[in-house]
Amino acid sequence: MADLTAIGRVTVFIASIDDTVLGYASMTREVSTWTGQTFAHLDCLFVDGRYRGHGVGRLLFNAACAHARSVGDTELQWQTPAWNAGAILFYCRTGAQSASKERFTMPIEPTADHHPDSRRSR
């Protein structure tokens, strides 16, 4: 992750007091082949349960929006599981609009040529 952050591929915001991490947000810039535009993708917004309800999530969300704006993106996209009612309520309070769609995942098994251990045998 540090490598991706160092080259600007991932941006991370951390909310803390002294040495105590209250929460974090991570985001990437993506491109939509549908619109031909870049957009910001909020990959994760997490606030420790002990600090929820104190504005930490809003602070992190606002930081992500401000960063997206600063790099010229005009849209922030993200998803949250349907069972996460607290997050859905939070996002609705930000003024965000829900855009329903199904998300699919599929593990991709590496081939022998691309397996992380294949470099050792060469």
Side-chain angles (χ1 to χ4, degrees), residues 2 11 14 18 28 36 38 40 53 55 59 75 82 87 90-91 93 103 114 120:
T11 302
I14 299 172
D18 299 322
T28 59
T38 59
L59 178 76
E75 184 174 41
F90 169 79
Y91 293 130
R93 286 193 305 251
R103 179 180 171 107
H114 294 95
R120 292 184 199 153

Side-chain angles (χ1 to χ4, degrees), residues 24-115:
Y24 69 92
S26 59
M27 61 189 298
T28 59
R29 289 188 81 199
E30 306 296 335
V31 64
S32 169
T33 56
W34 185 260
T35 66
Q37 301 292 315
T38 59
F39 65 92
H41 176 248
L42 181 64
D43 182 63
C44 188
L45 192 157
F46 173 78
V47 176
D48 185 307
R50 296 171 292 178
Y51 307 108
R52 292 180 185 165
H54 299 283
V56 176
R58 180 59 105 154
L59 178 76
L60 291 165
F61 184 81
N62 288 348
C65 290
H67 179 71
R69 190 176 302 109
S70 76
V71 296
D73 290 327
T74 59
E75 184 174 41
L76 178 65
Q77 295 183 17
W78 67 94
Q79 61 226 353
T80 195
W83 54 260
N84 195 342
I88 293 168
L89 181 61
F90 169 79
Y91 293 130
C92 286
R93 286 193 305 251
T94 69
Q97 302 295 312
S98 176
S100 297
K101 64 180 179 179
E102 296 295 324
R103 179 180 171 107
F104 297 88
T105 66
M106 175 184 247
I108 304 296
E109 297 297 326
T111 63
D113 294 0
H114 294 95
H115 196 278

